[in-house]
Amino acid sequence: MNLEVRLEGTNITHHVIRYTRSKQICTGIGILEIALSRDYTDEILTWDTFTVYEEGNLVGTYGVSSISDDDPEYLINIVAQDDSKRLQDYFISQQYVIKSITTNLYWIAKFLTEVGITYEIEAGTTATYLQADTAIGPINAYEEIVQLLQMG
């Protein structure tokens, strides 16, 4: 397989010892697990971005979730997650109580924008009006968006 791995835009493929990527069936969350050789010496930080190409096609962009360097065989083991990590890490601290007519799509767009995720709502997507006194938050953005989608 023709593989290319970039970290913050820099090609580090020659340092990759092994990698796996998966997508959880129930949640759709994409996970990347990668091990780098000991000759990789640049610092990797939580939230750094890995971009993975297979056969020249972009197959995923992942933010670093955890870094472990206690494996004697490799310099560093990394677990990274797709943009759902940003939603899980973003906590909606305020409680909003719906007083005027709004839709689930309004709130979904609001939280995706606050988190900084690029999105597109397809034409023809049906919005659901939220009932008065519906409470939104405090909760992480991922869970709130799932709840709002289930209202549709």
Side-chain angles (χ1 to χ4, degrees):
M1 173 185 308
N2 182 8
L3 172 70
E4 181 180 332
V5 177
R6 294 185 169 274
L7 175 60
E8 294 295 309
T10 301
N11 188 336
I12 63 163
T13 306
H14 57 285
H15 296 286
V16 175
I17 300 295
R18 65 175 158 74
Y19 94 107
T20 59
R21 62 182 184 85
S22 60
K23 189 166 280 225
Q24 297 174 2
I25 292 173
C26 293
T27 62
I29 293 173
I31 302 290
L32 172 70
E33 296 180 43
I34 193 164
L36 300 177
S37 63
R38 292 188 182 280
D39 62 355
Y40 188 80
T41 57
D42 291 348
E43 184 176 27
I44 299 173
L45 303 171
T46 302
W47 283 97
D48 281 355
T49 301
F50 279 95
T51 309
V52 179
Y53 298 85
E54 294 174 358
E55 306 301 334
N57 298 309
L58 174 65
V59 294
T61 302
Y62 305 87
V64 173
S65 297
S66 66
I67 306 161
S68 169
D69 60 0
D70 56 359
D71 185 335
E73 188 176 348
Y74 305 104
L75 170 66
I76 195 162
N77 288 302
I78 301 153
V79 176
Q81 185 176 324
D82 62 15
D83 272 346
S84 61
K85 174 172 179 35
R86 297 173 76 174
L87 289 170
Q88 288 175 326
D89 289 352
Y90 184 84
F91 190 76
I92 302 165
S93 59
Q94 179 178 347
Q95 183 176 47
Y96 299 91
V97 178
I98 307 304
K99 295 296 181 191
S100 60
I101 297 174
T102 58
T103 67
N104 63 335
L105 294 181
Y106 166 82
W107 292 98
I108 290 169
K110 172 182 175 43
F111 297 132
L112 289 173
T113 300
E114 284 181 10
V115 172
I117 293 179
T118 302
Y119 63 92
E120 181 178 324
I121 297 175
E122 294 182 14
T125 300
T126 304
T128 300
Y129 289 100
L130 302 181
Q131 302 223 356
D133 298 323
T134 298
I136 296 176
I139 193 171
N140 75 47
Y142 182 85
E143 290 180 40
E144 188 64 63
I145 288 174
V146 168
Q147 290 175 16
L148 289 165
L149 288 169
Q150 290 172 344
M151 291 176 183

